[in-house]
Amino acid sequence: MENNYILVVGFIVFFVVVSIVITWLTQKSTKSTSDFYVAGKGVPWIQVGIAMVGSYLSAASFLGCAGDIGVFGIDSIWLSIGFFGGYMAVLLLIAGPLRNVGSYTVADALHRRFPDDRIKLVVMISTLVISTFYLVPQMLGAGLLFELLLKWNFVAVTIGLGILMSIYIIFGGMKATLYNQVVQAVFLWITMIVITVWGFMVYADGSLAALLDTAAKAVPPIIAGKDTSVVEAIKGMAPAQAIDTARVMLPQADSIMTIGVKTSNTIAQISTVIALVFGTAGLPHILIMFYTVPNARAARKSVTLCIVALGIFYFCAIILGFLLIPAIYPTIVDWISQGSKGVGFAKNMSVLDIAEKLGGKWLLAIAAAGAVASVLSTAAGLMITAASTISHDLYKVWINKNATEKQELAIAKITTLVMSGIAVVLAVLLKDQNVAWLVTLAFGIAASAIFPVLFASLWWKGLTRQGALAGIVTGLVVSVFFIVLLLSGVKTFIGLPTAGGPGVFGVTTAGVVLILVSLFTSDRGPDTEGFFAQAHKAEKE
Amino acid sequence: MANPNQGPANGADALESARNYRRRLVLGFSLFMIFFVFYMGAAVIQTPVCRTLASLPCLGMPLGLFLSMMIFPVSWAIIVVFFLKWR
């Protein structure tokens, strides 16, 4: 191991120790299912708001958003904006009423309006699919980060991470998860701002115009990196000289500011954006966090804090993406010249590289630890969500209706271990695949399978039990079908592009089916008025 | 196991909930539609079919980039209105 990376290890060990200390401190107060699933429902909104930031900011946000801009150019700014925009639907349409009618899982809220166990089952299946799609890239990303940066064994690292997260979920439940997410979110957020502001002063002289001028001149690394003569010519050059040389050699090539280098299809762009906007409002690991605060008002305050913090974070991620060009252009081009693996490397390692250039080994260590923090906080939220839905929506409802709290809790803890094992195995099996985009697909499934029904359930009295069931199943089937097509290399299906993921198709079909079935059926739940009165009850100061 | 889902206690609460429902429906939807139209508009402008429009200069940057970046302050402004009007 190189001496430079002792600091990286030091910071990572710091996070591990903090996690264990927090777990030790919180485990005594985690006794009931309510403590385990939702931290007793009395967590302050500020803490939950910050924890939401931690839960939402995965490695894809910290490393991938800026890295993608550095590779493809301006098209990729919509990755950051898309991730950010998702919380607006959560705040304006979902957070308050969901907090009023749900208890532990997303399925609870729907089941409260339609007491049909099949609804719990299909929501549980959707939750598991979404969580797995989201979880595997986190574990894989963390393993690769350690392998690339420290030359550690990939399998050992992913197993170690799985064990660490299992420990703090099993012993500390949601309380430990929230505290850890707060620590990790603060660290990650500050790190992003420090790198961006510092980089902006050093590489753009504090001038946005200068930064955009450089970007307008630069040939996107994804184009320059595929031209061997350019790659050879700019080797060893300073970034500014390399940018000029590449432009002279490829005078007709697009620039970083050219639209269409990455996203050439408008429908694909719309589909991705819809998946991100509505998907956030259907992500189970985000939605269950509303149950941890005392009331709907607190839930909305949490989301608002989260939106403001995320806005600043993603704004910085966009600026940082452009800063990669004047900072490390030749390095990115060189990575890309190594083929598809190199492209993945460029997307994920560029932020760490600029951090090292700016602040040496200290900032590199902090950025690497930030990346690990982002993985831990997101993965822990996903694992506790999966554990909750298995024990509360499957075991308690379908397997052992008379289960005691102790049994339910035991199942949740066993599920945590099993989910952790599955995530590690899948991460190892898919190690050589570039699966970071699975996160975007998870948004597509959440937008299709969960959001339309959850939204209609909270706001439309005409929704029927059959409509809700049909909506969830349709959304899940259509989104998974599109993902299978995408994975199989099918470019279009009945004229619809698969490149943007299942977002627009899944949301639309689920919505249409939900409405049509509801119009032709009549079971609106045993107490629709009571449900709406509870969901939209007055808020006392 | 604690049951957090306690319904409104009486008819007056139910009536107030019904009023809240209508008011919040209008407010939430109106604000979301403003956000969504702006958001989708900016996303579509930032695609190849609108390249010419997106390239028009606006405050020192291309219009597409400007509108995309405006999503952050527009969202925060919508949140302020949401909290001021929400009852």
Side-chain angles (χ1 to χ4, degrees), chain A residues 60 79 83 126-135 137-138 268 271-276 278-280 282-284 430 434-450 475-476 478-489 497-507:
Chain A
L79 204 55
F83 280 134
S126 304
T127 300
L128 284 182
V129 173
I130 294 162
S131 300
T132 308
F133 266 70
Y134 216 116
L135 183 57
Q138 308 303 320
S271 193
T272 305
V273 167
I274 282 188
L276 293 174
F278 295 120
T280 308
L283 285 178
L430 296 169
N434 180 11
V435 293
W437 48 272
L438 282 183
V439 171
T440 317
L441 297 186
F443 275 81
I445 303 171
S448 310
I450 305 278
L476 184 61
V478 170
S479 53
V480 171
F481 176 68
F482 261 85
I483 288 169
V484 171
L485 290 177
L486 187 61
L487 293 177
S488 312
T498 57
V504 70
F505 316 114
V507 175

Side-chain angles (χ1 to χ4, degrees), chain B residues 3-87:
Chain B
N3 177 11
N5 304 319
Q6 315 257 315
N10 54 45
D13 280 351
L15 198 66
E16 195 179 350
S17 292
R19 274 200 299 269
N20 286 337
Y21 165 69
R22 281 190 295 275
R23 197 171 49 229
R24 292 172 186 176
L25 187 69
V26 171
L27 178 68
F29 270 77
S30 305
L31 292 177
F32 182 73
M33 284 317 292
I34 292 169
F35 166 77
F36 191 65
V37 167
F38 187 85
Y39 188 80
M40 286 307 294
V44 171
I45 284 176
Q46 198 66 18
T47 58
V49 287
C50 300
R51 190 181 287 177
T52 315
L53 179 63
S55 305
L56 294 174
C58 179
L59 296 178
M61 63 180 83
L63 179 65
L65 178 63
F66 175 75
L67 289 176
S68 299
M69 299 303 264
M70 279 301 289
I71 283 169
F72 296 106
V74 166
S75 301
W76 292 327
I78 287 173
I79 292 171
V80 171
V81 175
F82 179 70
F83 270 89
L84 289 176
K85 296 286 180 187
W86 187 273
R87 294 284 182 274

Side-chain angles (χ1 to χ4, degrees), chain A residues 57-103:
Chain A
L57 291 180
S58 61
S61 296
F62 183 63
L63 302 177
C65 284
D68 223 56
I69 296 171
V71 171
F72 294 103
I74 197 167
D75 284 350
S76 298
I77 65 171
W78 269 88
L79 204 55
S80 296
I81 297 170
F83 280 134
F84 164 75
Y87 265 102
M88 290 301 284
V90 177
L91 173 67
L92 300 174
L93 304 174
I94 303 288
L98 179 68
R99 172 60 188 84
N100 285 336
V101 295
S103 49

Side-chain angles (χ1 to χ4, degrees), chain A residues 152-176:
Chain A
W152 285 5
N153 181 277
F154 176 86
V155 178
V157 167
T158 45
I159 291 174
L161 281 175
I163 291 172
L164 175 67
M165 278 184 297
S166 298
I167 287 173
Y168 78 68
I169 293 171
I170 288 171
F171 293 102
M174 181 58 101
K175 217 168 263 184

Side-chain angles (χ1 to χ4, degrees), chain A residues 85-255:
Chain A
Y87 265 102
M88 290 301 284
V90 177
L91 173 67
L92 300 174
L93 304 174
I94 303 288
L98 179 68
R99 172 60 188 84
N100 285 336
V101 295
S103 49
Y104 298 145
T105 62
V106 175
D108 277 339
L110 294 168
H111 191 262
R112 183 171 159 80
R113 179 163 175 191
F114 304 111
D116 182 333
D117 290 347
R118 289 173 301 173
I119 286 192
K120 281 211 160 189
L121 186 67
V122 289
V123 175
M124 183 218 70
I125 293 169
S126 304
T127 300
L128 284 182
V129 173
I130 294 162
S131 300
T132 308
F133 266 70
Y134 216 116
L135 183 57
V136 172
Q138 308 303 320
M139 302 295 282
L140 198 148
L144 285 177
L145 187 72
F146 278 95
E147 189 181 65
L148 295 170
L149 210 58
L150 304 170
K151 315 284 182 239
W152 285 5
N153 181 277
F154 176 86
V155 178
V157 167
T158 45
I159 291 174
L161 281 175
I163 291 172
L164 175 67
M165 278 184 297
S166 298
I167 287 173
Y168 78 68
I169 293 171
I170 288 171
F171 293 102
M174 181 58 101
K175 217 168 263 184
T177 304
L178 286 177
Y179 277 115
N180 278 309
Q181 284 173 334
V182 167
V183 173
Q184 290 151 3
V186 169
F187 186 84
L188 188 62
W189 194 83
I190 291 174
T191 304
M192 173 56 91
I193 289 173
V194 168
I195 296 175
T196 307
V197 172
W198 194 347
F200 188 63
M201 302 316 290
V202 172
Y203 296 114
D205 296 326
S207 162
L208 186 61
L211 180 63
L212 295 179
D213 279 349
T214 306
K217 211 164 47 177
V219 177
I222 192 70
I223 296 173
K226 287 176 179 169
D227 189 309
T228 45
S229 56
V230 174
V231 175
E232 285 306 314
I234 67 172
K235 246 180 201 157
M237 282 184 181
Q241 193 188 359
I243 291 166
D244 290 339
T245 306
R247 175 50 68 197
V248 169
M249 293 178 76
L250 300 170
Q252 302 302 320
D254 289 334
S255 84

